[in-house]
């Protein structure tokens, strides 16, 4: 499905990205170099974005913590950015040893300009001139992921997992025909193949589907990189880096291509109504009983949570049982549960609830698909399928391309399996 | 002897340098930060130059070799410069944890401009404005040693041991009152204390003495850094980094100060005629017998060696034994011996010698001292002292401040001991 040529009919400009597992040691870097070399030999102009060796960033972060528990993020960035600096130099050396022209471009050399939010910087602008000249001359440009340079000329990093974002941003800057993200999975699946043996790899997903799948626990790509790809219209392909080196170039590899709605509609690919099923175990449920049923009561619950940057997802306000009283249930990330409970307990009188109940043994199951927009019945199929198996739905939320329900965590695998079958996603036996 | 104040009577501007052993791990970096903080608390404006953690540069060099045996020095520099980047960030963090203002300045940020001779670059210019502003504001400037930036804006390194040179260059650029080099010895000695128990630490040596002592095997400082200090007039002090943290600031520590001749003469320090005795076991002796005693014969021996960058040190042309023939003896570094022998053997007919004899079991013993210029008898004392012990002198060379002899390596320790006593260098019992 991925065409071998650029949009103007000439050979393509391709950005490739390799993660820490692929870069862990000179032997694996040689394997990566082999994959890169084959792309260049296919006639493409190539830039490569690399992560630090697996484990290296953790080692450097630990040094920072030992040095200063409340570390200055500007100096933290100086230390941790070194991991990608090392792998970019080593990949350039390895490519040269294989007879390719190659050179490394550090964040400040490109430059990849970011804001000054050290340790979680956002890319503002990439000057692509030098990269384009390098690529056009047949040189492979090797770029450390995760790093940039601030307006003050200091080293910045983009936050953990930021190398995916670096790759997409570089692809947008050089107007790449494709951004190939090599990972330790070989694509995006209809659901977690460890749960459902009959899960199928998706040839195509839209940016929005990928965002929903990523944000509910399918950690193939960093969410931020998908948003950026959508905004910039970068075609992203997810591929496995653990392929046979003698295999044909990546264009023919069965990865997953992440595309726009338009491109999806333009493809002659037969699409299921539903793209995938995701399970997210990182939510916790909070219930406040017998909250006064008057204007402002609900706001007095959620306003302080919002101020504390605690992300509230599903919200249900039950029908008043007692006259003038109602139960309010919502979910927050498990990591924020203790903080949320403490805040609510503090405000018990102001809010006027009776009891505060929490449960972190829950899972959010989501069915995702752009087809949902033009089809009815997705939600009722979901409810009926779960009810038939006696799975109790504790909360519901929907978006344009997603229906989510909260269930008991013990029933996660059963729910994913029966929904996968109900929506016709199972691979042919 | 080291005055606590700057040359203009105000408090001093001081550059401190710490080597890899001192920076090996966060615990040791904390000790370094303690030493730095005490200098600042004494009221000085401080910049610190740091090496990579001990062993780290070797680890990175090995990665480069594994990636590409004939590595591109520009990419090698990208990889190996990361070691000092890490320690500079960590020292800044550690100083901040101790309540000091501190920030790191990478080579390209200062900038420390070098030529483009990657992996062995020479510093051409340091823009001190940003550093001076930082130091003046009470911030400690932490600078990774060994690295700079080329005219093309790429990362360069100065070659192994280059951090001493970085420190001296920074000291020259900020017009520091002193450059304190912290090492794993506590100063420069009259000779190797492991050979002569009565060796004394020298309070003062001149640049030229230090150069002679360094180039003949006393590896306290990189030779290049001493040349630069001499050229730029930087006062360098050699100190131990393994001091009690509760000890008084470095000004009062008994290190060795390296100064100019003028400063030495201006000091009221009583000086010995001879400063120290050095032993260098890295030379090898080559003898060509029965070389034709005609113009051009000697040139035909040394010209090809010079072209091959083989450094010839001592040269003796014996009185002709046979009519029209002479023996030529000289020394080369042991590392170049095999190459030198092969070159000479190839040219046997052209040179016209009879036999080629070599001996790498030799030691060059040097007595060094600026006092020598104004005193006679140094050489004769040397010859007599060695002769009295039956030590045969195989070759002799002299410079303005040095007399060197070549002896059998088995007699090294005896020779150093008896000369140390003969020149009155022994510490009082």
């Amino acid at each position: 499905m991925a065409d071998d040529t650029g949009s103007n009919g000439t050979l393509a400009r391709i950005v490739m990205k390799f993660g820490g597992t692929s870069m862990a040691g000179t032997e694996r870097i040689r394997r990566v170099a082999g994959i890169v070399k084959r792309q260049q030999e296919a006639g493409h102009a190539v830039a490569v974005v690399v992560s630090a060796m697996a484990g290296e960033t953790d080692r450097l972060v630990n040094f920072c913590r030992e040095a200063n528990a409340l570390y200055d993020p500007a100096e933290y960035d100086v230390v941790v950015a070194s991991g990608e600096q090392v792998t970019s130099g080593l990949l350039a050396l390895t490519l040269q040893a294989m007879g390719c022209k190659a050179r490394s471009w550090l964040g400040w050399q490109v430059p990849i300009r970011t804001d000054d939010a050290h340790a979680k910087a956002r890319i503002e602008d990439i000057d692509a001139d030098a990269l384009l000249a390098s690529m056009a001359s047949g040189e492979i440009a090797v770029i450390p992921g995760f790093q940039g340079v601030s307006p003050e000329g200091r080293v910045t990093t983009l936050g953990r997992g930021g190398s995916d974002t670096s790759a997409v941003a570089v692809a947008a800057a050089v107007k790449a025909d494709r951004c190939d993200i090599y990972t330790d999975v070989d694509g995006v699946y209809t659901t977690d193949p460890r749960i459902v043996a009959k899960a199928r790899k998706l040839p195509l997903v839209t940016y929005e589907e990928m965002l929903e799948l990523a944000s509910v626990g399918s950690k193939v790509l960093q969410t931020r990189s998908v948003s950026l790809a959508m905004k910039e219209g970068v075609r992203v392909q997810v591929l496995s880096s653990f392929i046979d080196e003698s295999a044909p170039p990546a264009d023919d590899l069965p990865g997953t291509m992440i595309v726009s709605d338009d491109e999806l509609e333009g493809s002659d690919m037969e699409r299921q109504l539903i793209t995938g099923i995701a399970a997210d175990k990182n939510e916790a449920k909070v219930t406040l009983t017998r909250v006064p049923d008057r204007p402002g009561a609900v706001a007095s619950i959620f306003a302080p949570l919002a101020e504390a940057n605690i992300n509230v997802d599903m919200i249900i306000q039950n029908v008043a049982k007692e006259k003038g009283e109602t139960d309010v249930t919502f979910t927050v990330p498990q990591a924020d549960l203790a903080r949320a409970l403490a805040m609510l307990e503090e405000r018990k009188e102001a809010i006027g609830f009776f009891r505060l109940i929490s449960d972190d043994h829950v899972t959010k199951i989501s069915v995702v698909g752009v087809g949902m927009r033009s089809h009815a019945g997705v939600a009722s199929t979901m409810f009926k399928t779960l009810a038939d198996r006696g799975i109790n739905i504790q909360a519901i939320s929907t978006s344009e391309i997603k229906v989510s329900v909260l269930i008991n965590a013990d029933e996660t695998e059963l729910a994913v399996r029966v929904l996968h079958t109900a929506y016709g996603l199972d691979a042919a036996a």
Side-chain angles (χ1 to χ4, degrees), chain A residues 113-308:
Chain A
R113 295 191 193 91
T114 71
D115 60 19
D116 60 3
H118 283 283
K120 53 178 183 194
R122 299 192 73 85
I123 295 174
E124 293 191 332
D125 173 54
I126 295 181
D127 188 334
D129 292 350
L131 287 186
L132 284 169
S134 163
M135 292 168 76
S137 76
E139 192 173 68
I140 297 169
V142 184
I143 303 155
F146 177 62
Q147 66 175 240
V149 61
S150 76
E152 294 77 31
R154 301 204 62 185
V155 175
T156 54
T157 68
L158 310 182
R160 293 305 290 267
S163 290
D164 288 344
T165 304
S166 299
V168 171
V170 167
V174 302
K175 299 187 176 29
D177 296 280
R178 216 171 64 228
C179 179
D180 288 347
I181 310 268
Y182 288 80
T183 68
D184 45 12
V185 299
D186 64 351
V188 181
Y189 278 75
T190 49
T191 195
D192 187 338
R194 289 167 304 182
I195 295 180
V196 179
K198 291 179 177 171
R200 280 185 300 109
K201 186 162 58 186
L202 294 161
L204 286 178
V205 292
T206 68
Y207 299 119
E208 284 153 303
E209 287 171 336
M210 190 66 203
L211 279 174
E212 292 292 1
L213 291 169
S215 65
V216 289
S218 152
K219 296 182 204 74
V220 177
L221 289 185
Q222 207 205 6
T223 306
R224 209 166 129 198
S225 68
V226 181
S227 306
L228 183 64
M230 178 161 72
K231 177 168 163 274
E232 300 285 344
V234 175
R235 296 174 80 225
V236 175
Q237 184 173 209
V238 176
L239 293 162
S240 170
S241 57
F242 295 98
I243 51 162
D244 180 2
E245 275 202 46
S246 61
D251 310 83
D252 305 326
L253 284 176
T256 297
M257 185 71 70
I258 309 172
V259 298
S260 67
D261 283 5
D262 291 350
E263 196 166 358
L264 180 68
E265 280 163 25
S267 79
D268 48 5
M269 188 71 49
E270 250 189 83
R271 282 281 296 192
Q272 304 283 349
L273 178 66
I274 296 300
T275 307
I277 317 276
D280 179 8
K281 296 190 170 183
N282 296 314
E283 294 283 303
K285 186 177 72 162
V286 177
T287 300
L288 289 77
T289 67
R290 298 175 60 186
V291 178
D293 190 11
R294 54 169 166 72
V298 170
S300 71
I301 296 170
F302 295 117
L305 295 176
E307 260 173 56

Side-chain angles (χ1 to χ4, degrees), chain A residues 96-108:
Chain A
Q96 291 172 355
M98 291 182 177
C100 301
K101 281 172 65 185
R103 79 154 271 196
S104 63
W105 294 88
L106 302 180
W108 59 272

